[in-house]
Amino acid sequence: MVNKRGELTEFQCRRKHKGFQHKEILLTYKPISAPYYTKEGTVDEWLTDRDRLFTVHKQKVFRGKLFHQPWILQDGHYSMKKIRLRQPIYQ
């Protein structure tokens, strides 16, 4: 679930599947910079300007080319409010 209040965004995820341990995470995010485009040669550019898609189908690897406009980024701050993920999911 995602809730947005002004510039604050709250993410909440709960797993309550029968036969599995209950898991929960709750965090908030807010931007702390003005929107910007990445600069050439930076790690931000490298991380966001991926132009390939890889997938596996019937034990074969397929590669495709992606086309997209540069992403608009914003620096942000997050706060983890609740986390119950520390135990292994499968036992």
Side-chain angles (χ1 to χ4, degrees):
M1 176 172 47
V2 177
N3 293 315
K4 190 144 173 92
R5 287 182 266 136
E7 288 196 331
L8 185 69
T9 303
E10 183 178 85
F11 298 91
Q12 182 177 26
C13 182
R14 292 182 184 159
R15 186 185 71 188
K16 297 181 181 181
H17 301 295
K18 186 176 179 179
F20 291 94
Q21 293 178 342
H22 290 234
K23 301 293 180 183
E24 182 175 14
I25 187 167
L26 172 64
L27 60 94
T28 58
Y29 162 85
K30 68 177 179 177
I32 59 172
S33 76
Y36 64 91
Y37 290 100
T38 61
K39 294 180 182 172
E40 190 173 332
T42 64
V43 71
D44 287 345
E45 180 198 35
W46 186 84
L47 289 169
T48 59
D49 192 23
R50 303 295 83 210
D51 63 357
R52 298 276 185 231
L53 170 70
F54 295 90
T55 189
V56 176
H57 180 68
K58 294 184 179 180
Q59 299 182 336
K60 290 185 178 180
V61 177
F62 293 88
R63 180 179 73 172
K65 181 114 171 108
L66 299 175
F67 299 95
H68 63 83
Q69 295 296 316
W71 291 22
I72 301 172
L73 304 180
Q74 252 182 317
D75 295 333
H77 174 75
Y78 80 95
S79 176
M80 197 154 316
K81 303 292 185 182
K82 181 187 273 189
I83 184 166
R84 289 190 344 183
L85 303 173
R86 291 187 177 91
Q87 298 171 343
I89 293 174
Y90 301 103
Q91 294 184 5

